[in-house]
Amino acid sequence: MSEFDEFEKQLHENRQERDKENRHKKKSRSRSRSRERKRRSRSRERVERVERVERVERVERVDRVERVDRVERANRERRSASRERRRRSRSPRRVLKKKPYKYWDVPPPGFEHITPMQYKAMQAAGQIPATALLPTVTPDGLAVTPTQVPVVGSQMTRQARRLYVGNIPFGVTEEAMADFFNAQMRLAALSQAAGNPVLAVQINQDKNFAFLEFRSVDETTQAMAFDGIIFQGQSLKIRRPHDYQPLPGMSENPSVYVPGVVSTVVPDSPHKLFIGGLPNYLNDDQVKELLTSFGPLKAFNLVKDSATGLSKGYAFCEYVDINVTDQTIDRRAIAGLNGMQLGDKKLIVQRASVGAKNATPTPVTLQVPGLVSTQVQMAGMPTEILCLMNMITPDELIDDEEYEEIVEDVREECSKYGAVKSIEIPRPIDGLEVPGCGKIFVEFVSILDCQKAMQGLAGRKFANRVVVTKYCEPDCYHRRDFW
């Protein structure tokens, strides 16, 4: 065989071998594509199966929620229908009307606003005829009234039905004053009958005062309780007129206290306090704010010079709660204010009737509004316990959420001066007197931090109140002896 033939044979074998390899590759690619198609198909089926299951679960979930809603709606409708049936089935309550008196204590015409005892006292004083001549009937059927019975609002009781009102707002009208006092009488439940208690108002604009005329003597006396009330930003001064003559058997002072009204007259009583040694530049509001740190005031009077209008350096006050007053004298006011250095003077706090009691002042730091650079301080050993006063009232501690907000607010502010170890804010308990209720006690890690907090917090405003601070003994704090 020639070389050419061998070459062709070899070439033919190579070609066959390549064809065989190509066929094998084509078969392999075909099998791979087939496997890939099957794999994709199985994946699609799996996804579709999962989606079908999820759709079914969603539908079942919606059906379940709708069934629960239908059941709850049906239950509500049944309960409502049951309540309606019970309400309709109840027999209406019979209101027993009070049987009116026919004979006893029936006032004569025109004297409906005074008691029988007051009526007899006015008769004895000659202000009312001893026998009221009522209308009589003649044989002809005519009614004859020999003498007219005087009525409330007449001249006989006029001087007892008038009140002087001083320090009235500039430019106020008679109608505005009448509307104000009529509204206040109704709000305080001092109006004894329908209609307006104030009959007339006379204003003297030049001298800044007015006279109120009421329809009855008793309502006039009760209106004295509004002495010191705020009207258009002015504290009104309410007094009896100079020509007032007390009626026999009738009280001259009101028998009620109007919350929020601080009278400008402090009557003599065992609970009247004297505050002396006040700097002359302190005004009423500054002294009152200092005193209200220990409780709400019932009456307050800063004595002033009638010629200059400046303070004479002393005042009188009385607290609303007698128990608070006793604690103020024995434990708080004397301990915290008596002997305190205020500017270049020392305060004197004592009972106005019996004089000062022996008391040992405790360390206290106060700052009076309006005194820019004067800080009121007394010597005392600092501790790591700081007592904050005049910041909160017991009513603000009843709600849990508001209580937590106050605790967090105090903790956040005190933490600016040092590390706070603990905070105690006694809360009110119904029927019990809780020691320290209305005070806030903060325990710092060090005495230095406590001193920084006292200097930074004293005299600041919290809920529009001036913060009063003092140190507290650690032993008392840990025993929860917060008195």
Side-chain angles (χ1 to χ4, degrees):
M1 181 179 294
S2 64
E3 291 182 1
F4 180 77
D5 293 336
E6 287 181 3
F7 175 76
E8 283 187 350
K9 182 180 177 180
Q10 185 67 34
L11 186 63
H12 180 68
E13 288 175 357
N14 291 340
R15 189 180 296 115
Q16 286 180 346
E17 192 171 332
R18 276 200 310 272
D19 292 343
K20 185 178 179 180
E21 288 177 359
N22 290 335
R23 283 195 301 271
H24 179 71
K25 287 180 181 179
K26 287 181 181 179
K27 287 180 182 180
S28 297
R29 283 197 297 269
S30 176
R31 281 196 297 271
S32 297
R33 283 196 294 270
S34 176
R35 281 196 300 271
E36 182 66 22
R37 281 195 298 271
K38 289 179 182 179
R39 189 182 63 77
R40 290 178 180 174
S41 176
R42 282 195 301 272
S43 178
R44 279 196 300 272
E45 289 175 356
R46 216 169 18 248
V47 171
E48 290 174 356
R49 192 161 52 249
V50 171
E51 290 177 349
R52 281 197 300 271
V53 171
E54 289 179 350
R55 279 198 298 271
V56 171
E57 288 179 351
R58 279 198 299 271
V59 172
E60 290 178 351
R61 199 179 305 118
V62 171
D63 290 342
R64 243 188 339 264
V65 172
E66 290 178 351
R67 280 199 302 274
V68 171
D69 288 343
R70 283 197 297 271
V71 170
E72 290 181 352
R73 194 159 48 246
N75 290 337
R76 283 197 299 270
E77 291 174 355
R78 278 199 299 273
R79 286 195 296 269
S80 178
S82 176
R83 282 196 298 269
E84 183 66 19
R85 283 195 300 272
R86 285 198 301 271
R87 187 183 64 80
R88 291 179 179 177
S89 63
R90 281 198 208 104
S91 58
R93 296 179 182 175
R94 281 189 287 178
V95 179
L96 298 178
K97 293 184 178 179
K98 186 178 179 181
K99 185 178 179 180
Y101 291 116
K102 291 185 177 180
Y103 307 106
W104 290 100
D105 296 335
V106 178
F111 290 90
E112 292 85 356
H113 304 298
I114 62 176
T115 65
M117 292 300 295
Q118 294 169 350
Y119 182 80
K120 290 177 67 176
M122 293 172 69
Q123 279 185 332
Q127 297 175 335
I128 299 176
T131 303
L133 301 178
L134 299 176
T136 58
V137 180
T138 64
D140 299 332
L142 298 176
V144 178
T145 305
T147 305
Q148 186 179 5
V149 178
V151 298
V152 173
S154 67
Q155 286 296 120
M156 285 188 177
T157 60
R158 186 170 186 267
Q159 63 179 192
R161 293 183 294 101
R162 299 176 77 224
L163 290 179
Y164 164 87
V165 183
N167 197 35
I168 63 175
F170 178 76
V172 67
T173 63
E174 296 175 351
E175 182 181 3
M177 284 203 69
D179 291 342
F180 174 75
F181 276 96
N182 284 327
Q184 294 299 324
M185 291 287 286
R186 284 190 286 268
L187 286 174
L190 300 180
S191 182
Q192 300 176 352
N196 292 328
V198 179
L199 299 180
V201 178
Q202 296 176 332
I203 293 180
N204 187 325
Q205 295 286 5
D206 295 335
K207 297 186 178 180
N208 200 36
F209 69 86
F211 282 101
L212 303 180
E213 183 176 346
F214 291 80
R215 64 185 173 188
S216 72
V217 177
D218 190 51
E219 286 177 321
T220 307
T221 302
Q222 300 303 332
M224 292 284 294
F226 293 115
D227 178 42
I229 194 171
I230 303 299
F231 175 49
Q232 294 185 6
Q234 296 282 100
S235 177
L236 300 183
K237 178 182 177 182
I238 300 179
R239 301 285 187 273
R240 295 282 191 181
H242 292 303
D243 60 353
Y244 169 71
Q245 294 295 329
L247 297 179
M250 300 188 71
S251 174
E252 298 183 43
N253 298 316
S255 59
V256 297
Y257 164 71
V258 181
V261 177
V262 180
S263 175
T264 58
V265 176
V266 187
D268 291 332
S269 73
H271 312 293
K272 182 177 180 179
L273 294 182
F274 169 81
I275 302 97
L278 294 168
N280 299 55
Y281 47 79
L282 290 183
N283 59 30
D284 297 65
D285 292 335
Q286 292 170 344
V287 179
K288 274 198 290 188
E289 191 156 8
L290 181 65
L291 296 174
T292 51
S293 304
F294 302 95
L297 292 173
K298 179 181 180 181
F300 170 79
N301 178 32
L302 178 63
V303 182
K304 299 178 181 178
D305 190 323
S306 58
T308 62
L310 296 177
S311 166
K312 288 188 175 182
Y314 64 93
F316 298 93
C317 76
E318 182 179 345
Y319 286 90
V320 173
D321 191 348
I322 295 176
N323 297 325
V324 171
T325 302
D326 291 338
Q327 290 180 8
T328 300
I329 296 169
D330 297 337
R331 298 181 181 180
R332 299 168 67 187
I334 288 182
L337 296 177
N338 188 47
M340 178 185 299
Q341 190 74 29
L342 186 59
D344 56 348
K345 295 187 177 182
K346 285 188 177 182
L347 292 185
I348 301 172
V349 181
Q350 63 187 39
R351 286 186 189 269
S353 56
V354 298
K357 294 183 178 180
N358 293 329
T360 303
T362 57
V364 65
T365 299
L366 299 175
Q367 184 156 339
V368 181
L371 302 183
V372 179
S373 60
T374 303
Q375 192 175 27
V376 186
Q377 289 186 339
M378 293 183 63
M381 290 300 295
T383 68
E384 61 268 25
I385 312 296
L386 182 64
C387 176
L388 305 174
M389 299 176 289
N390 198 39
M391 290 178 59
I392 52 176
T393 62
D395 293 338
E396 296 171 345
L397 303 175
I398 297 175
D399 183 68
D400 292 337
E401 186 175 349
E402 188 173 2
Y403 175 81
E404 292 299 330
E405 288 180 358
I406 292 174
V407 173
E408 287 303 316
D409 197 5
V410 173
R411 185 185 300 277
E412 182 179 351
E413 188 64 27
C414 290
S415 298
K416 297 177 181 179
Y417 303 98
V420 175
K421 192 173 180 181
S422 64
I423 294 179
E424 288 288 344
I425 305 180
R427 302 182 69 177
I429 301 175
D430 291 338
L432 294 177
E433 186 177 3
V434 180
C437 187
K439 298 179 182 178
I440 299 175
F441 299 88
V442 183
E443 181 183 13
F444 288 87
V445 173
S446 67
I447 296 178
L448 182 60
D449 292 342
C450 189
Q451 288 178 306
K452 291 178 183 177
M454 172 175 275
Q455 293 173 359
L457 298 177
R460 288 181 56 182
K461 285 289 189 75
F462 184 88
N464 205 27
R465 306 182 189 100
V466 177
V467 179
V468 181
T469 61
K470 70 174 184 177
Y471 294 114
C472 178
E473 289 296 329
D475 292 341
C476 297
Y477 175 78
H478 294 300
R479 289 198 312 266
R480 299 186 62 83
D481 184 9
F482 296 139
W483 289 111

